Amino acid sequence: MKQINLFMAFLRVGLLGYGGGPAAIPLIQKEVVERYGWIEEEELSDILAIGNTLPGPIATKMAGYIGFRIAGVIGMINALVASVIPTVALLIFVLFSLASFREYEWVQGMTRGVLPVVAVMLGVLTWGFIKKSTADFGWLRVMFLVILSVITLQLLGVHPAILIVGLILYVFIKPEKRKGSEKAGETS
């Protein structure tokens, strides 16, 4: 039953993730966190952060990891096939049958009309990540990181992977200092 649910969850992501990987992330969150409860929101945030530092499409990487995490190697293959098949099938269908309609206004309008929906989905997911981050860091630090990220990514044009790797390095360095200060506090 778990393999069937895993396949259906990522099949829905593949069918409805119109707009690329970023559009699929809220759908993955809906399926694996809210619907099936396979992982917690914090773990999804970690998977997303690490996945963004690696090359390749984010939705495929997340499907492979989550499938492996839930049901081993077979689960990984199952989730990958379910998330890729709809896109490949639609691409073949569009290229062979709808390519002649792409100049029509209704086809272009359909594509433009989906973008606001994707923007809202990403906004809702982003707000959820910000709210959860405040539990660990507080509003001041989270707002600092949000502003730093906007400046770094949008104004300076730095690649997101560089920012994420920098933050990961900071996290690996920062806890060592905390442990040392806690031990010093325990002995005094």
Side-chain angles (χ1 to χ4, degrees):
M1 190 65 177
K2 187 179 279 186
Q3 294 291 346
I4 293 171
N5 289 339
L6 194 59
F7 184 84
M8 292 307 297
F10 282 98
L11 183 67
R12 281 189 288 270
V13 170
L15 285 172
L16 302 174
Y18 189 83
I25 294 167
L27 298 171
I28 292 173
Q29 185 267 347
K30 188 77 172 174
E31 294 291 333
V32 303
V33 175
E34 293 182 18
R35 178 177 292 208
Y36 292 109
W38 288 325
I39 62 174
E40 298 291 325
E41 189 83 36
E42 292 79 15
E43 187 177 2
L44 183 70
S45 301
D46 294 341
I47 295 167
L48 181 61
I50 300 296
N52 272 323
T53 64
L54 302 173
I58 186 67
T60 308
K61 290 181 285 189
M62 291 180 77
Y65 175 77
I66 293 169
F68 180 78
R69 165 88 166 54
I70 303 306
V73 174
I74 300 298
M76 176 186 70
I77 294 168
N78 188 7
L80 284 172
V81 167
S83 67
V84 171
I85 281 179
T87 306
V88 172
L90 284 174
L91 182 63
I92 292 169
F93 175 74
V94 168
L95 287 178
F96 281 105
S97 61
L98 292 180
S100 59
F101 296 111
R102 72 178 167 207
E103 299 302 324
Y104 287 99
E105 187 69 27
W106 66 271
V107 174
Q108 294 176 0
M110 182 178 70
T111 303
R112 287 190 299 264
V114 169
L115 292 177
V117 176
V118 172
V120 169
M121 290 167 56
L122 288 172
V124 168
L125 184 66
T126 301
W127 178 245
F129 286 160
I130 288 174
K131 283 189 345 187
K132 292 201 179 299
S133 297
T134 60
D136 291 331
F137 295 120
W139 278 104
L140 191 61
R141 285 185 183 161
V142 169
M143 288 293 93
F144 172 75
L145 289 172
V146 167
I147 292 169
L148 176 69
S149 298
V150 169
I151 290 171
T152 306
L153 298 175
Q154 293 299 313
L155 298 180
L156 301 177
V158 173
H159 192 279
I162 294 172
L163 179 64
I164 292 169
V165 168
L167 290 173
I168 290 171
L169 290 175
Y170 173 77
V171 168
F172 281 124
I173 293 169
K174 186 70 174 172
E176 294 299 322
K177 292 179 182 176
R178 285 184 185 163
K179 287 180 182 175
S181 64
E182 287 175 3
K183 287 180 181 175
E186 290 174 0
T187 56
S188 59

